[in-house]
Amino acid sequence: MTATLFEGITARRIETPRYIANVLERPAADPAAPTASVVFVHGNVSSALFYQPTMLALPADVRALAIDLRGFGDSETKPVDAARGLRDFADDVRGVLDALDLDAVHLVGWSMGGGVVLQVALDAPERVLSLTLESPVSPYGFGGTHGPDGARNDADGAGTGGGGANPDFVARLDAGDTTDEAQTSPRTVYRTAYVARPETQTPHEDLWVASMLTTKTGLDNYPGDAVGSDRWPGFAAGTRGVLNTMAPQHLDLSGIVDLAVKPRILWIRGEKDAIVSDASFFDLNQLGALGVIPGWPGEEVAPVQPMVTQTRAVLERYAANGGEYREVVLPEAGHAPHLDEAEVFDRELATHLGF
């Protein structure tokens, strides 16, 4: 049985007015006087457990914390109001910071967590010393937009949100499936979509799969609800649950370009990312274009979302308006560069944070 926590990492439950959060911590060598606090926010279908190696790699005088979002890890399961975009999660993060008496911190967000930390910066910029966006969701959400400026494909977000989840994958999450017997098993999804070099993670693979299996399923959590649509593929985003938080009608983080005070941003991603890219295998329009999903109506009606291009366009505007960002592309990494190329990731993160 793989140990849940690495040596040097502790876990505790923090009660906030919003939810009871499970928080991992790698304390500073002198807990009474840390030089800085770095807070990690995990992505979808994962938990804070994924960030343990990165937490341990930080300098000893730094306090490292990782938060389980609602419905993930060992945190309380509460409904996710997708009509608020990612704000339920962002407000939860701020609630944890309040409970821990942390005023301003360095925020690191992976995938959906990248969107969460951007939302924190939008709503409470005074709480953010710096941002690290690891393989982040596009500022315009996941699916349903086109062009560098995130123009909406349609009004209802056809093909996005809760209806886009593979039902067998959801069922296997719910059943706690640890096998690799199918393309839809969490272990297979981890090996083929989360990392580009699964062989380097063999000692910890069981733990990463266990982390994925903490995802709470249902209409109010993962994946969320769906509504019918007259447009291909016949459904659109609902207003409940995780995947709908990133539907284009609910999420637009491009407002960061207008922040009065702009924290420094490190954007770090893997060249082999299968989830967040300009040709994502998780974008239903891309699967339609490839013929995997039949009946695709064509590029004019259902264009593929250029996720990386959209992020770069927003960050270029951020820089033009007085901000600072740096893009780092790791050539042998997939969606989880902190695992695939850990040494490089850790070094780039430390450089960005000024450690």
Side-chain angles (χ1 to χ4, degrees), residues 24-105:
L24 306 188
E25 181 169 1
R26 197 296 306 271
D30 180 1
T35 58
S37 294
V38 182
V39 177
F40 295 86
V41 181
H42 65 82
N44 191 16
V45 191
S46 66
S47 75
L49 293 173
F50 266 98
Y51 263 130
Q52 291 182 97
T54 316
M55 296 166 70
L56 291 169
L58 287 171
D61 58 348
V62 173
R63 184 184 189 186
L65 300 152
I67 300 171
D68 280 336
L69 300 173
R70 62 173 61 196
F72 297 96
D74 287 328
S75 282
E76 184 179 8
T77 300
K78 297 191 77 171
V80 176
D81 181 358
R84 304 185 70 226
L86 289 167
R87 275 197 170 90
D88 266 359
F89 295 133
D91 288 352
D92 288 347
V93 169
R94 290 167 58 195
V96 172
L97 299 184
D98 290 343
L100 295 174
D101 293 322
L102 291 171
D103 292 328
V105 299

Side-chain angles (χ1 to χ4, degrees), residues 287-343:
L287 295 179
L290 294 173
V292 176
I293 300 176
W296 183 61
E299 185 71 20
E300 289 189 5
V301 176
V304 175
Q305 181 188 15
M307 303 176 187
V308 170
T309 295
Q310 290 176 349
T311 296
R312 185 176 296 113
V314 168
L315 292 180
E316 284 293 313
R317 289 167 54 203
Y318 186 83
N321 282 1
E324 177 186 345
Y325 89 94
R326 186 165 61 96
E327 178 182 359
V328 175
V329 184
L330 304 186
E332 298 303 318
H335 191 57
H338 73 285
L339 300 181
D340 276 324
E341 295 199 52
E343 289 186 9

